[in-house]
Amino acid sequence: MRQKILQLLRDNSSGYFSGEEMARMLGVSRTAIWKNIQSLLLDGYHIESSPRLGYRLVRVPDLLYPAEILKGLKTKIIASGPELIYHFLQVDSTNTSLKKLADQGAADGTVVIAEEQTAGRGRLGRSWFSPAGKSITLSILLRPSLAPGNTPLFTLMTAAAIVRGIKNILPDISVGIKWPNDLMINKRKVSGILTELKAEADLLHYLIIGIGININSEEKDFPPELRNIATSLFLENNKTKISRQQLLCEILQELDDAYRRYFLENPAFIIKEWKKFDITLGRKITVKTIKDTFIGTAVDLAADGSLILEEVGGKKRQFQAGEVTLV
Ligand code: BTN
């Protein structure tokens, strides 16, 4: 009912829609209309009401409600229907929530979106900071049938899809990917990806791809220790606000396109796509692994997405995981 009311108000955005007329068109009582309008107001929809004229939709909140997201999506797998989108105002971590849903059998393409995380997780055991309502924090469940060894490619695919999504909205922004999946603007991190999986030795049960993007955060929103290393699209876009709804739709669309392409084409396209936005290869870098730190030049990616480093003296090493610093 809420969606139908919203649709009527949207279609008539220039003027008022009388409660009586709406009730007649939807075959419900005027009280039912009033109750639904109250619930929309509580969710942040700005609807003006006049006793004589009726209701008018003034502004839709920039919250990532499934109904708002679905309006802008033509995806075929990821978030392709209302039953595949879970939206929460607050969760501990979207990856953790989605894992519970995945263990209960949630379908390929299910997404969990949160306005705020109280215990967001980053790579290598770190935490992920994101202020309420100013970021995108989302996790995507994928159930491709493949061997667990292929999963790093999905993280690279996601990083490239996020860059594409951002560039669809902000074509001039110079966002690049630091291997494997840190999105950087002007040497500061704007987005990160945490991929987790459930697998047996040879069989992948599912993949959870967690995405965090700093969108409309201002400097003061970041804790002091992050101010020099993190940034947001707002800060890099002349302090102009960005619609989180629009950006989320662009990213989901790009990722859905890439995910479907993966089943049709040689997966080499992922590395090719990733390289278009790469800022790592050809650079002098350090790679920190759990055991050691290595220094050299990033020379290429292997077919499975691992990074090839050439040390002084020509010795080559390959890394499947690690923290890269551009020197
Ligand atoms: C990193 O760069 O360290 C990865 C950050 C990933 C953060 C996202 S936010 C949504 C999802 N839920 C989490 O708890 N983490 C990921």
Side-chain angles (χ1 to χ4, degrees):
M1 181 56 57
R2 278 167 45 116
Q3 288 324 310
K4 286 183 182 155
I5 292 175
L6 268 179
Q7 200 48 55
L8 289 180
L9 291 174
R10 275 203 186 98
D11 294 348
N12 194 36
S13 57
S14 54
Y16 283 87
F17 213 119
S18 89
E20 197 175 337
E21 174 77 351
M22 251 190 250
R24 197 184 52 72
M25 287 177 76
L26 299 177
V28 295
S29 67
R30 279 176 66 183
T31 316
I33 298 289
W34 180 83
K35 277 191 183 151
N36 279 287
I37 296 274
Q38 297 313 304
S39 121
L40 286 167
L41 288 171
L42 278 177
D43 279 355
Y45 287 87
H46 185 165
I47 299 169
E48 260 174 20
S49 58
S50 142
R52 275 191 314 113
L53 300 171
Y55 303 103
R56 185 169 77 95
L57 181 62
V58 179
R59 206 172 46 246
V60 168
D62 190 26
L63 292 182
L64 304 171
Y65 289 131
E68 299 300 328
I69 303 305
L70 279 166
K71 261 191 315 134
L73 279 184
K74 290 192 191 73
T75 50
K76 299 217 166 46
I77 303 174
I78 298 171
S80 53
E83 70 290 358
L84 296 184
I85 309 181
Y86 292 78
H87 172 261
F88 298 104
L89 291 179
Q90 193 186 65
V91 290
D92 50 358
S93 147
T94 54
N95 269 32
T96 310
S97 313
L98 186 52
K99 184 176 183 318
K100 287 179 198 145
L101 293 168
D103 287 335
Q104 290 160 16
D108 193 24
T110 301
V111 303
V112 168
I113 305 165
E115 299 297 332
E116 185 178 15
Q117 295 186 120
T118 52
R121 295 186 283 113
R123 286 174 64 224
L124 310 167
R126 290 189 289 238
S127 59
W128 179 258
F129 166 82
S130 45
K134 296 194 171 181
S135 330
I136 286 178
T137 49
L138 120 116
S139 300
I140 301 164
L141 173 66
L142 299 181
R143 294 183 181 277
S145 40
L146 46 82
N150 286 339
T151 54
L153 284 179
F154 281 81
T155 312
L156 301 183
M157 178 170 101
T158 305
I162 301 174
V163 176
R164 278 192 177 277
I166 293 174
K167 282 187 166 287
N168 290 348
I169 293 183
L170 304 171
D172 297 329
I173 208 146
S174 84
V175 50
I177 312 172
K178 177 166 76 73
W179 184 88
N181 47 38
D182 285 348
L183 264 59
M184 312 292 290
I185 306 179
N186 293 327
K187 300 189 178 157
R188 291 170 192 222
K189 182 157 159 172
V190 71
S191 168
I193 301 169
L194 173 67
T195 302
E196 297 180 298
L197 52 92
K198 185 167 177 180
E200 289 163 32
D202 296 327
L203 178 71
L204 176 73
H205 292 294
Y206 60 73
L207 261 177
I208 289 180
I209 302 185
I211 301 172
I213 312 173
N214 303 325
I215 315 270
N216 288 323
S217 333
E218 301 175 36
E219 242 148 40
K220 64 175 170 48
D221 295 323
F222 290 106
E225 69 276 14
L226 291 184
R227 279 183 202 154
N228 288 330
I229 53 173
T231 189
S232 71
L233 293 177
F234 168 80
L235 290 172
E236 302 295 334
N237 185 40
N238 302 319
K239 304 206 169 174
T240 311
K241 290 251 155 74
I242 286 123
S243 158
R244 294 185 311 139
Q245 283 173 5
Q246 200 192 344
L247 181 58
L248 178 57
C249 288
E250 293 291 341
I251 290 169
L252 291 173
Q253 197 65 57
E254 291 290 347
L255 194 55
D256 189 72
D257 290 349
Y259 186 42
R260 286 182 295 116
R261 204 173 152 192
Y262 175 84
F263 296 103
L264 301 172
E265 276 182 42
N266 183 327
F269 87 87
I270 294 177
I271 306 267
K272 231 164 129 189
E273 265 295 295
W274 185 93
K275 281 183 176 172
K276 286 184 191 158
F277 307 117
D278 159 60
I279 53 166
T280 322
L281 299 181
R283 296 281 305 267
K284 212 164 167 222
I285 60 165
T286 64
V287 187
K288 202 170 155 208
T289 65
I290 329 170
K291 282 200 216 132
D292 241 321
T293 300
F294 301 87
I295 306 176
T297 305
V299 285
D300 205 355
L301 290 200
D304 67 351
S306 36
L307 179 69
I308 303 171
L309 179 85
E310 188 174 303
E311 292 177 322
V312 179
K315 183 175 165 58
K316 285 194 178 155
R317 289 182 188 271
Q318 206 163 313
F319 298 90
Q320 279 174 337
E323 177 70 11
V324 165
T325 307
L326 306 176
V327 184

